[in-house]
Amino acid sequence: MATKCGKCGPGYPTPLEAMKGPREEIIYLPCIYRNTGTEAPDYLATVDVDPKSPQYCQVIHRLPMPNLKDELHHSGWNTCSSCFGDSTKSRTKLVLPSLISSRIYVVDVGSEPRAPKLHKVIEPKDIHTKCGLAYLHTSHCLASGEVMISSLGDPKGNGKGGFVLLDGETFEVKGTWEQPGGAAPMGYDFWYQPRHNVMISTEWGPPNVLRDGFNPADVEAGLYGSHLHVWDWQRHEIVQTLPLKDGLIPLEIRFLHNPDAAQGFVGCALSSNIQRFYKNEGGTWSVEKVIQVPPKKVKGWLLPEMPGLITDILLSLDDRFLYFNNWLHGDLRQYDVSDPQRPRLTGQIFLGGSIVKGGPVQVLEDQELNSQPEPLVVKGKCVAGGPQMIQLSLDGKRVYVTTSLYSAWDKQFYPDLIREGSVMLQIDVDTVKGGLKLNPNFLVDFGKEPLGPALAHELRYPGGDCTSDIWI
């Protein structure tokens, strides 16, 4: 009955109870127009994913933001399973920080879940003056009732990995979570685990470096991130910085969902590997590489070697399977991580990418494949781009995938995405033996949006999911 408990507050008591939650019926995801040539605001799309619904696979609602060129990106909740047990709290507001404008939109999804409406706008000036931060990314709700949002930089676009704190009821900007002057040199994603008094944050790069596209010279100059920052959760300060050996641009970070666990994984995008971080016997934190995706030697591309570019990772709620994408190579992978030190590949599926047959790129040498994969056609649509953001159903049986990374990088690496819009796909998962299979009947084509092709990004379910909920 725990999953039906209406007096317990938001979310679920444990990750395993969450797996028994109801099947997702709608998904919220931001759609971006910045860098596409369409002069329209970004918007929050609501997609019907209920196979029994007559509107299955359709965008049933669009909530445009009041400003242009925000670059909506990731989202989080006003409250989640970290507040389970507090009956005064309910998961009714979706928090949408803007990566470029630094504006924060708070959207009411509780009044009419199928037709969200704007609740509050927090202007960049408020964040700049109270926090000295900008270029906002990950939003997590805290057990304190506050909402915490990571930053990539300061208002001038220099690297600065700090954290904005919002009141979870009024959404007033309270200031920074970290101690004054204690921000990391760069920021991106974060995850906390209070039972071990720890939070760990990652690094992308300074906004001025990455904002308008990717330049390989910036990597040579050491301008991109290559460290994890370990924070004391109670003291709000960095206690350890972990250099990642062969780990360039660590993006998404996930602790195991089990709140007792003192380990997790981080995806390093440019070096295309997965590193496991863990608490060692001395009580400090260590990191080791556990998966490496080899680059492919190519002709007709930006560089002579193409990395996989791991841009999103997630763990199933039972901590059994790790999923990640290779945005450039074009595959989505599933690994059994029952033994986290020795991940085992159990599923792989190609969903577009830069190395498809008939495209401009010729693969000269490939350590993994015998031939270039076929282009992906779903319901008559040839998919542009590669698998990017991923979200797993609570029961672990369905993966939803979108194809846009970030508008300026989309434009550079996948010009077809700008012209044709991104898509949303659904992959069926074998949760017994492992394995991934495309659902050929599922396609949301954001190339056919009323105002023109849009770039759809991160996915959220109304009741919480595998990447927004943290148990304490």
Side-chain angles (χ1 to χ4, degrees), residues 196-265:
H196 296 280
N197 188 35
V198 69
M199 177 180 85
I200 302 182
S201 65
T202 65
E203 303 181 324
W204 184 3
N208 288 338
V209 170
L210 60 88
R211 183 171 44 211
D212 298 322
F214 174 76
N215 184 345
D218 292 333
V219 179
E220 294 294 320
L223 299 180
Y224 277 97
S226 60
H227 295 81
L228 298 183
H229 300 284
V230 182
W231 302 74
D232 184 299
W233 184 240
Q234 292 175 333
R235 298 208 317 263
H236 302 195
E237 61 188 22
I238 295 174
V239 290
Q240 202 180 347
T241 292
L242 298 171
L244 292 162
K245 187 181 176 186
D246 191 26
L248 270 173
I249 313 188
L251 294 182
E252 306 295 334
I253 187 163
R254 310 280 181 250
F255 265 93
L256 297 187
H257 291 288
N258 178 355
D260 284 328
Q263 62 179 320
F265 300 95

Side-chain angles (χ1 to χ4, degrees), residues 36-108:
T36 66
T38 297
E39 288 293 308
D42 299 345
Y43 59 97
L44 183 70
T46 306
V47 174
D48 190 320
V49 294
D50 179 2
K52 300 189 293 292
S53 166
Q55 294 175 302
Y56 181 55
C57 275
Q58 293 177 31
V59 179
I60 57 171
H61 186 266
R62 297 170 185 87
L63 175 67
M65 299 302 137
N67 300 279
L68 293 172
K69 303 187 191 316
D70 283 309
E71 188 96 28
L72 296 181
H73 199 62
H74 285 216
S75 61
W77 297 102
N78 62 316
T79 186
C80 68
S81 292
S82 63
C83 291
F84 183 83
D86 184 347
S87 59
T88 66
K89 302 262 191 287
S90 58
R91 193 185 326 232
T92 57
K93 307 291 191 304
L94 191 62
V95 180
L96 289 158
S98 301
L99 190 60
I100 294 301
S101 72
S102 307
R103 206 170 267 111
I104 301 171
Y105 296 103
V106 182
V107 174
D108 175 4

Side-chain angles (χ1 to χ4, degrees), residues 29 41 79 128 165 265 280 335 338 377 384 436 453:
L29 68 172
T79 186
H128 295 170
L165 270 186
F265 300 95
N280 57 45
Y335 283 79
S338 303
V377 178
L436 302 171

Side-chain angles (χ1 to χ4, degrees), residues 413 448 461:
F413 290 104
K448 294 179 177 173
Y461 314 132

Side-chain angles (χ1 to χ4, degrees), residues 6-49:
K7 298 178 182 174
C8 298
Y12 303 92
T14 66
L16 294 181
E17 281 296 324
M19 291 188 81
K20 302 173 190 172
R23 180 181 170 130
E24 66 286 353
E25 294 180 352
I26 54 174
I27 287 180
Y28 303 122
L29 68 172
C31 294
I32 292 87
Y33 274 127
R34 183 175 167 268
N35 277 315
T36 66
T38 297
E39 288 293 308
D42 299 345
Y43 59 97
L44 183 70
T46 306
V47 174
D48 190 320
V49 294

